[in-house]
Amino acid sequence: MEQPEIQLSDAAAKRVGTIAAKQGKPAILRLSVEGGGCSGFQYKFGLAEDIDDDDTKAENDGVTLVVDAVSLDLVRGCVVDYVESLGGAAFRVENPNAAAGCGCGSSFAV
């Protein structure tokens, strides 16, 4: 079976669904990659109003994760998870393309 291009974990889907319901928005999480951060690139998350034609999407329990075509090259094969720990709670990207990361978990290099 071919590996999906992007995946949304159960925990992340549940959290996005909760946030979207509170804000009265569609349960669509957009992941994009921008230049900058400690290691060269950084992840950016936000709720999206709609899905663009060139977006790649993954669905889990009625929640959709979308990634634009440019960002997809840097996160192909990733899993977006939601992790709660003593240090706080955050969305985390498990990115097989990242050659290096940083302590904050939101920045990476390829």
Side-chain angles (χ1 to χ4, degrees):
M1 187 172 148
E2 189 175 313
Q3 175 79 2
E5 294 203 279
I6 54 174
Q7 297 178 65
L8 185 65
S9 75
D10 293 344
K14 183 177 178 182
R15 184 64 181 155
V16 172
T18 300
I19 293 169
K22 283 183 181 176
Q23 295 186 9
K25 294 187 175 187
I28 303 170
L29 179 66
R30 177 169 297 283
L31 167 62
S32 58
V33 176
E34 297 181 342
C38 318
S39 299
F41 294 101
Q42 60 187 359
Y43 303 112
K44 183 177 177 191
F45 291 101
L47 289 180
E49 292 293 329
D50 49 27
I51 299 170
D52 296 333
D53 291 339
D54 68 342
D55 284 340
T56 295
K57 62 182 181 175
E59 296 185 5
N60 185 343
D61 198 23
V63 175
T64 304
L65 169 66
V66 295
V67 176
D68 64 88
V70 174
S71 297
L72 182 63
D73 285 341
L74 297 168
V75 297
R76 183 172 276 115
C78 79
V79 178
V80 174
D81 197 7
Y82 181 74
V83 179
E84 293 184 48
S85 67
L86 291 175
F91 289 103
R92 179 173 296 155
V93 179
E94 297 170 15
N95 187 347
N97 305 304
C102 68
C104 70
S106 63
S107 180
F108 69 103
V110 290

